[in-house]
Amino acid sequence: MSQTNTSLLDEVAQWSQETCRQKLKSVLPELTSLHHKSESWDDHIRILKIITEMFLPHIGLSELEDECFSKILPKAVTMFDSMMKEIVDQVGGLSSQNTELRSLLRNILQAMMQIIDALSTCVRHVGTFEEAPYLDAIRSLPTCILKVLRETFQHCKESEVVYCGRLSLVADLLQGLFKEAYTLQKGLLELLDRISLDSSASEEEVSDIVTVIHSLLDICSIISNLDIALHANTWKFLIKLSLKHQSLVDEHLHHGDISNSLCDNLLASFHNCVELAEQIKHGGLQEATQSPEYKLFQKTAKMCRFFANTLVHYIKEFKFFLTKYCSCFHQLYLQIISKFPPSTCAPTLPSALSEELNAAALVPMEALLLQLLPLRPFAEVVLQQDLRLSPEHELPQCLLLMNVLGQLTSQQEEVLQLWYTGSQFSEETPRLPLYQALFTSFRRCYTERRVPVLLPGVMMKGQAQVQVTLHHHICVHLCASVAALPPVYFPMLERCLVDTVLQADSQTALLATDVWCFTARYGTAELCLHHVLLIAQLVKACTTECYQLSHLGLLLRRMVFLMTPNHQMELVVRFPPSEMENLAVWRHVLLRALSQDARHHVETDIIGLIQKALTDWQNGGYKLGQVDKVNLVLPALIAVVRGQTSPEEQCVLSAMRIITQLWLRMSPDQVQTHPALQCTLQQLLSISAILVKNIEHQVIFQALLCVDAVVSQECADQLLLAALEFLSSLGKIFVPPDSQNQILPKLSSLFGVLLSDRFWLLHQHALEAFSHFAEITNHEEVISQSLCEKNTKTKVVNYLSKTVNAQEDVESRLQRLKQETAVTEQHSERLENNKENASNKPAADAVADSEPYPKRARQETSAEEEYSRYIQTAESALKALQALTEGKANTTKPPPQWLESRLQELQSLITHISTATHTR
């Protein structure tokens, strides 16, 4: 600086305030020019201080921008930036021994503090005016100050990295720099709060306010880890300023940046809260509410609550500008919910800490959801068809949908249509109906269903609230929703229920069944009839092999209980049990659910149809090729005898005659080689297990021989399960001494074989069957004889004493369940993708496809084997007939009159066969 300029500054420095006021117009332009031309930091700061301290107080509000701020503040920012750059360039050589560099850096920091002080002077001067300042009058001030604040806070934030272990040499000045900047920002925000813009504001003024808001957003991202109070206050003012000038700035704000930053800050503070809570728990400090850790947790929770409420408020005011960011809000919701029970990845926390976390994050999520509900893009994100989430977010998604369901009751019609109906037109973004999305989400919670996770049940008057399973929780709320559902959406509900019952996951189908039954019970009797007829038609269309049949059969069984007697009779008329094709329906119905008239009608028709099938088989010469027709009618016989209380009832007596006739036709050798007969055996075992007390002991022995023939080879699991059911039922009977040598050893042998089976499912059923048999039998010797092998005996004893060999810890079990989830999902998807399981394939075709043709079986055996097989069959039948006639001789009831004539016919037939053999 020239000598002349230095002399001017020296002279001005001696002036009084009055002199400065008088010479303002002549000297200020010269000073601002000198300030602009100054190159050294010292000259710059000296001139800046003279202007702000001696001349600024005399400048009017209307002249501030043009005469002062626009001329000196941009230069001040430039000089501040050069100082910051110099520190970064020189700091590498800083050390306690390098006193010269240390002194230089400290001087620079002090100079920066002086610039900030000068800016604070400008702010204070504007604040002295009684009238509220208008933005044009101070346009350069907020822009320049926010740039300086941003650089200052950034430098303080990075100080540990910048000064690299030598922070202590300048720590006092950095602390002072931060405090000065803190004070400057506080003053600027107070000043900006006084500024008001009306609808006549110019584009420049609007642009300036938008710039201020975005600059504050940048500062928020920097100070998030510096000072909690400063961070919160800056955000408060940012939102306040945005709302104050909402009508002017809403189309210009970077809403995505603001909302994303709020989400990031909310998540960061929330995760910090969770980590602090876990540290407090592990440190045993949950009771020490005055400890530093607990106080820090409370401060962090307060910030979490602040950001959550701020985000909700911002979305409420600017929701229609935030539609592009609904996916972020969805993910935010899931991430927060996933850290709360009952999520499997949620930490277990003391109740006090958990309650504070709930208030800080969980409660605001309800308000957040309420704001997002009317937004179509949010519904499209939540209800998208192929939504793929991480495993830990599957349950939160399900709970989100449950919360949506609960909040819809208070929404407008447009919102209800958005969520309930799903996408209606091809040009819409595909979305599922809410009910379908809920069932799909529940299905994907494989792990949570198997743990099982527990949720609060519904509060009942006079009863304590209990924890219930996810299935129970969702079922109750779904039923409540159905009860309040507007009629216009009922067809959509019906479609969702049908689709869910027909999908492959059994527990999800069971949930839909529960809701469907409530719907039928809550609705009219005509609605129930309509649904039952629909379900019966679907059952009739299923093949015996498709997985949908078990789901539909259970649904039909439960729905029949809800029908009126007249409608039950209408069901009988629409699906006459006397027709073969309708037996597929009646095999799934519990006949005790029917009225007396309907039940008698169904039982009579089914018994008559079965007897006709047996007669046709008999008249056809008991050919193996016709066994499949018998197999089609036998499942209906199980429905008839199930639930019968009196052995003297006509249907029981008829069933006894039928199964006795069939057992006498069963040959162990033939059962081994013909799958069709194995199917017959399976049905006979199930029926015999129900009627076991009425069966002759010789027939029981025949059944045991057949079971023994199949357990020694590979056979269907269903057959072995039916065999176990039959063996277990034998505990109900007392075997007379003359039959014990036949029956009891065979029974012990079969139990021993099945108990040693290595397949876990069969082994478990064998343990259950044997324990049930052991509890009720009078033949205790069977128990000991069945446990000859030490290993088998040990397993049975452990089962009966409920001994667990290896206790699995909670974490290991959870990991195992997660791994098994993938297997379960793949199995369900494989079922649904298997075209052979299509439910519209005729049942008869499926049965025929699953059993070999009799001619093919004959081609596989030699002539000698055929002779042997038929002789064994005849011999077994005659022995059984002998036992039957000898047993009847000891009773008051004589054999039927036609028996003698039929025996003579058989004797003539045997003579004829013998004669034909000799003549060859």
Side-chain angles (χ1 to χ4, degrees), residues 359-418:
L362 199 57
V363 173
M365 287 300 102
E366 299 296 317
L368 174 70
L369 184 58
L370 191 61
Q371 296 302 324
L372 294 172
L373 274 183
L375 301 183
R376 177 176 290 270
F378 181 71
E380 290 171 348
V381 168
V382 174
L383 300 176
Q384 58 185 291
Q385 291 181 340
D386 296 317
L387 182 61
R388 291 300 172 186
L389 301 170
S390 58
E392 62 269 18
H393 287 168
E394 293 292 3
L395 178 61
Q397 169 72 6
C398 190
L399 298 178
L400 164 61
L401 294 170
M402 287 297 300
N403 288 338
V404 170
L405 194 67
Q407 292 194 7
L408 284 181
T409 54
S410 60
Q411 295 298 311
Q412 299 295 323
E413 176 62 28
E414 301 80 28
V415 180
L416 298 184
Q417 186 174 5
L418 173 66

Side-chain angles (χ1 to χ4, degrees), residues 199-220:
S199 57
S200 62
S202 65
E203 291 184 6
E204 290 79 8
E205 288 178 309
V206 173
S207 177
D208 289 341
I209 285 294
V210 170
T211 301
V212 167
I213 294 173
H214 291 159
S215 298
L216 289 172
L217 179 62
D218 288 341
I219 290 175
C220 284

Side-chain angles (χ1 to χ4, degrees), residues 403-509:
N403 288 338
V404 170
L405 194 67
Q407 292 194 7
L408 284 181
T409 54
S410 60
Q411 295 298 311
Q412 299 295 323
E413 176 62 28
E414 301 80 28
V415 180
L416 298 184
Q417 186 174 5
L418 173 66
W419 287 92
Y420 279 138
T421 60
S423 53
Q424 300 292 303
F425 306 102
S426 58
E427 58 269 21
E428 290 185 81
T429 300
R431 69 181 190 279
L432 295 171
L434 177 59
Y435 287 114
Q436 190 65 53
L438 229 171
F439 285 125
T440 302
S441 181
F442 175 79
R443 169 175 171 169
R444 290 176 179 164
C445 295
Y446 288 101
T447 304
E448 289 80 5
R449 286 188 274 139
R450 296 175 65 195
V451 168
V453 298
L454 298 177
L455 296 96
V458 176
M459 292 288 288
M460 304 291 287
K461 185 176 181 181
Q463 299 179 14
Q465 188 178 35
V466 296
Q467 296 290 99
V468 298
T469 63
L470 181 63
H471 180 114
H472 186 138
H473 179 81
I474 293 180
C475 183
V476 169
H477 287 82
L478 275 174
C479 292
S481 171
V482 170
L485 187 68
V488 66
Y489 302 115
F490 197 77
M492 169 276 309
L493 170 65
E494 290 177 311
R495 288 193 296 272
C496 292
L497 290 173
V498 171
D499 289 342
T500 306
V501 168
L502 294 179
Q503 52 80 60
D505 183 70
S506 295
Q507 193 172 359
T508 307

Side-chain angles (χ1 to χ4, degrees), residues 263-319:
C263 291
D264 291 342
N265 280 283
L266 170 56
L267 281 176
S269 57
F270 175 70
H271 289 311
N272 288 339
C273 265
V274 174
E275 290 178 7
L276 287 169
E278 290 183 289
Q279 292 174 12
I280 292 172
K281 173 194 171 185
H282 295 315
L285 302 173
Q286 54 265 32
E287 303 298 329
T289 55
Q290 299 303 313
S291 65
E293 292 83 359
Y294 203 100
K295 289 184 177 181
L296 179 59
F297 167 77
Q298 290 179 317
K299 286 183 180 180
T300 310
K302 187 176 180 181
M303 284 299 293
C304 179
R305 183 165 54 250
F306 163 75
F307 282 118
N309 291 332
T310 302
L311 177 63
V312 171
H313 190 47
Y314 191 80
I315 292 175
K316 178 182 178 181
E317 299 298 333
F318 296 101
K319 64 176 62 176

Side-chain angles (χ1 to χ4, degrees), residues 663-664 666 668 681 685 692 695-709 726-727 730 733 735 738-747 750 876 879-880 883:
W663 275 123
L664 296 179
M666 297 296 288
L681 175 61
L685 289 170
V692 66
I695 300 177
E696 297 291 339
H697 296 106
Q698 190 59 38
V699 175
I700 290 176
F701 180 64
Q702 177 72 5
L704 293 177
L705 289 176
C706 292
V707 172
D708 187 46
F726 174 69
L727 296 181
L730 295 179
I733 66 171
V735 181
D738 57 340
S739 299
Q740 288 182 5
N741 291 336
Q742 282 185 316
I743 294 177
L744 299 188
K746 184 63 68 176
L747 181 58
L750 289 172
S876 297
K879 286 182 177 179

Side-chain angles (χ1 to χ4, degrees), residues 703-909:
L704 293 177
L705 289 176
C706 292
V707 172
D708 187 46
V710 294
V711 298
S712 60
Q713 63 180 28
E714 292 291 332
C715 60
D717 294 336
Q718 296 92 325
L719 175 55
L720 294 180
L721 293 177
L724 284 169
E725 181 186 11
F726 174 69
L727 296 181
S728 176
S729 70
L730 295 179
K732 302 175 184 177
I733 66 171
F734 176 77
V735 181
D738 57 340
S739 299
Q740 288 182 5
N741 291 336
Q742 282 185 316
I743 294 177
L744 299 188
K746 184 63 68 176
L747 181 58
S748 301
S749 173
L750 289 172
F751 267 130
V753 171
L754 293 170
L755 284 169
S756 61
D757 196 292
R758 294 186 178 182
F759 180 41
W760 66 268
L761 182 61
L762 289 176
H763 179 68
Q764 178 65 25
H765 278 273
L767 289 172
E768 294 176 4
F770 183 74
S771 64
H772 178 70
F773 172 86
E775 287 175 1
I776 59 177
T777 187
N778 290 318
H779 302 287
E780 296 183 357
E781 63 272 24
V782 175
I783 300 175
S784 58
Q785 292 171 6
S786 301
L787 305 178
C788 295
E789 293 187 12
K790 183 178 180 181
N791 188 36
T792 301
K793 182 176 181 179
T794 302
K795 290 180 178 179
V796 171
V797 170
N798 288 340
Y799 175 79
L800 295 175
S801 60
K802 299 180 180 180
T803 302
V804 179
N805 293 329
Q807 188 67 40
E808 190 176 28
D809 63 82
V810 175
E811 186 59 32
S812 298
R813 179 172 181 269
L814 183 59
Q815 292 304 316
R816 175 176 57 79
L817 292 177
K818 289 180 179 179
Q819 293 172 0
E820 292 173 358
T821 293
V823 179
T824 308
E825 286 180 319
Q826 291 172 6
H827 174 69
S828 296
E829 291 174 0
R830 187 163 55 248
L831 285 176
E832 291 173 342
N833 294 331
N834 186 0
K835 300 304 181 183
E836 294 178 4
N837 281 326
S839 59
N840 59 352
K841 190 176 181 182
D845 291 347
V847 173
D849 292 344
S850 65
E851 296 173 0
Y853 290 103
K855 289 184 179 179
R856 185 177 302 166
R858 289 195 182 101
Q859 292 170 358
E860 295 172 355
T861 59
S862 65
E864 184 176 349
E865 289 176 340
E866 284 195 55
Y867 281 116
S868 175
R869 183 168 65 251
Y870 288 132
I871 284 293
Q872 287 181 2
T873 301
E875 185 179 7
S876 297
L878 290 172
K879 286 182 177 179
L881 182 60
Q882 180 185 10
L884 184 62
T885 54
E886 290 176 354
K888 291 296 182 182
N890 298 326
T891 64
T892 57
K893 293 182 179 180
Q897 295 179 357
W898 50 262
L899 180 60
E900 186 174 354
S901 61
R902 292 296 301 276
L903 288 174
Q904 290 176 356
E905 291 176 5
L906 285 175
Q907 189 171 0
S908 300
L909 180 60

